[in-house]
Amino acid sequence: MFLTQHARLARLLALAVPAALLGGAYLSEYGFGLYPCEMCWWQRWPHFAAVGLALLAYTVTPRRLWIWLAALAIALSGAIGLFHAGVEYGWWPGITSCAVIAGGGSGNALEDIMNTPLVRCEEPAWTLAGISLAGYNFLVSSAAALAISVLMVKDRNA
C-alpha cells in the first residue's frame, strides 16, 4: 500500500521518537545511575508498544492504522509523564506505594536491601531548567503525538 510523504514522515517519527526516549532512559539509568521509579516504568511501556506498532507500519497493512496506534501509545506515555511530573511538583498526590528499590544484586538479599537506594516517585532524579525527566517525557511525547497526528490528517486530505 502506497504511503504519501506525510505518512512516511509520521511513520518515521512514530518509530524514532519512542526509540530515542527509551534510549535516553536507559542511558540515564545505566550510564548515569538514575534508576527509574515505578511511574518511570509506566512511561516506558507505551513507548515499547509504540516502537512495535511503528515497526508493524513498515511491514503490515493497513499501515496507517499502525501509525495511528503508535501515536496513541506515544500520547499515553506523555499523559503518564504529565501525571508523574505533577506528583513530583506536588500538584497532586501520587500513588502511595510508588517506590522501587534500585540496582542489581550481590546474592545476599539482606545486604542488597540495606545497601540499595530507594527510588521514590515524588522526588525527581534529575532536572534541567526546573523540568524533570517525566516533564520532558510529557513535552516530547505530546509534541510527537501531535506532529504524527497532524501529518496523518494531512495525509488523509492529500
Side-chain angles (χ1 to χ4, degrees):
M1 178 182 259
F2 176 74
L3 290 178
T4 67
Q5 181 180 1
H6 292 116
R8 286 194 307 272
L9 181 55
R11 179 177 62 182
L12 178 62
L13 282 174
L15 178 62
V17 170
L21 288 173
L22 286 168
Y26 281 108
L27 178 65
S28 68
E29 179 179 349
Y30 293 107
F32 301 105
L34 299 176
Y35 296 107
C37 70
E38 186 175 350
M39 281 196 273
C40 294
W41 276 105
W42 296 352
Q43 294 169 76
R44 290 183 190 188
W45 294 117
H47 284 309
F48 287 125
V51 168
L53 292 163
L55 287 172
L56 284 173
Y58 279 91
T59 59
V60 179
T61 58
R63 297 176 197 274
R64 286 173 178 81
L65 171 67
W66 304 118
I67 297 168
W68 275 112
L69 290 174
L72 181 63
I74 294 167
L76 177 60
S77 180
I80 296 168
L82 175 63
F83 176 73
H84 188 186
V87 170
E88 291 173 336
Y89 299 132
W91 297 342
W92 44 71
I95 309 301
T96 57
S97 64
C98 186
V100 173
I101 296 178
S106 67
N108 181 333
L110 181 58
E111 183 178 311
D112 289 343
I113 291 170
M114 297 305 290
N115 294 325
T116 305
L118 182 68
V119 180
R120 302 192 52 83
C121 294
E122 68 272 1
E123 298 171 10
W126 180 87
T127 62
L128 177 65
I131 302 173
S132 69
L133 289 171
Y136 280 109
N137 180 53
F138 162 69
L139 294 171
V140 173
S141 295
S142 299
L146 180 62
I148 294 165
S149 299
V150 167
L151 286 166
M152 291 304 290
V153 168
K154 282 184 178 182
D155 172 69
R156 195 169 111 217
N157 294 334

